[in-house]
Amino acid sequence: KAGVTQTPRYLIKTRGQQVTLSCSPISGHRSVSWYQQTPGQGLQFLFEYFSETQRNKGNFPGRFSGRQFSNSRSEMNVSTLELGDSALYLCASSPEPQGAGGYTFGSGTRLTVV
Amino acid sequence: QQQVKQSPQSLIVQKGGIPIINCAYENTAFDYFPWYQQFPGKGPALLIAIRPDVSEKKEGRFTISFNKSAKQFSLHIMDSQPGDSATYFCAASMSDYKLSFGAGTTVTVRA
């Protein structure tokens, strides 16, 4: 069974640009969550989608947005990139929110803003 | 404000030792407490999880102890092996499903 796939694995962008990251959940999983991981702030929740609906959002500025498609694939977008947005962005999927099997994380997209 | 406090930041044990990682929380609405293991270049992987109606849970060499009254929970790695060297995160969530993670503990198991 394929795991959670995130693309691209690495990305370098310039301040002010925007970026779109993609996540393909495990087949059959309908819940997708996004997290930002940095050495200073650790793992922080961005948002969670279930059946194409955003169910919850973390404390991030409006420059961070996401969506989920009917096939459960999800994208997150960051506009007007800042140096502080450099991080590992992780996507996690679950059959249902907080399911007994927990969330399965992808390997992440390493975003560097220069 | 970190909702889950994790300690220590790092620890080193010899092979066969029992590293213990502790976490504490304040929000009594939390009802799901997972532990994740992360290797460099990989995303966190779920190790074991517990709900507050259980005081202890074992899966293989990993054991969670949960103290609801003290609002604390801990991870013990029995008979630790060099392959267990990784960063471990505790987490907690409630009905809003978002995971609040601890800061992480880097465990090094020396052969």
Side-chain angles (χ1 to χ4, degrees), chain B:
Chain B
Q1 181 187 0
Q2 197 132 40
Q3 295 199 60
V4 180
K5 289 182 168 43
Q6 182 172 348
S7 63
Q9 188 174 3
S10 64
L11 61 93
I12 301 172
V13 298
Q14 292 296 123
K15 178 182 173 183
I18 305 175
I20 300 172
I21 306 169
N22 299 300
C23 288
Y25 64 98
E26 285 300 321
N27 191 339
T28 55
F30 285 142
D31 63 1
Y32 177 69
F33 302 87
W35 285 87
Y36 284 84
Q37 178 190 57
Q38 186 176 29
F39 293 105
K42 298 290 187 183
L46 178 66
L47 264 181
I48 185 172
I50 199 168
R51 301 233 180 228
D53 54 344
V54 176
S55 62
E56 185 176 276
K57 184 175 180 180
K58 295 181 182 180
E59 280 190 11
R61 296 183 293 105
F62 299 94
T63 299
I64 299 179
S65 297
F66 189 86
N67 186 329
K68 187 175 180 179
S69 60
K71 293 184 284 188
Q72 295 175 348
F73 57 111
S74 60
L75 177 71
H76 294 60
I77 306 175
M78 306 301 183
D79 187 27
S80 60
Q81 303 296 313
D84 296 328
S85 297
T87 300
Y88 293 82
F89 294 92
C90 61
S93 71
M94 46 189 173
S95 58
D96 63 357
Y97 314 121
K98 66 178 183 181
L99 288 167
S100 294
F101 283 89
T105 297
T106 300
V107 174
T108 303
V109 181
R110 293 212 168 124

Side-chain angles (χ1 to χ4, degrees), chain A residues 20-83:
Chain A
T20 299
L21 312 181
S22 179
C23 172
S24 293
I26 290 172
S27 178
H29 285 196
R30 296 190 295 160
S31 171
V32 174
S33 299
W34 289 88
Y35 288 81
Q36 181 196 64
Q37 185 174 26
T38 59
Q41 299 297 318
L43 282 149
Q44 292 190 291
F45 173 80
L46 280 156
F47 22 67
E48 191 245 344
Y49 289 88
F50 182 73
S51 293
E52 301 179 67
T53 301
Q54 186 181 86
R55 297 170 59 98
N56 205 351
K57 191 177 191 306
N59 297 324
F60 279 82
R63 299 185 297 107
F64 291 81
S65 63
R67 60 178 175 169
Q68 186 180 34
F69 302 96
S70 59
N71 62 358
S72 295
R73 191 177 70 84
S74 177
E75 289 181 347
M76 68 163 280
N77 183 279
V78 187
S79 62
T80 320
L81 284 165
E82 300 176 0
L83 295 179

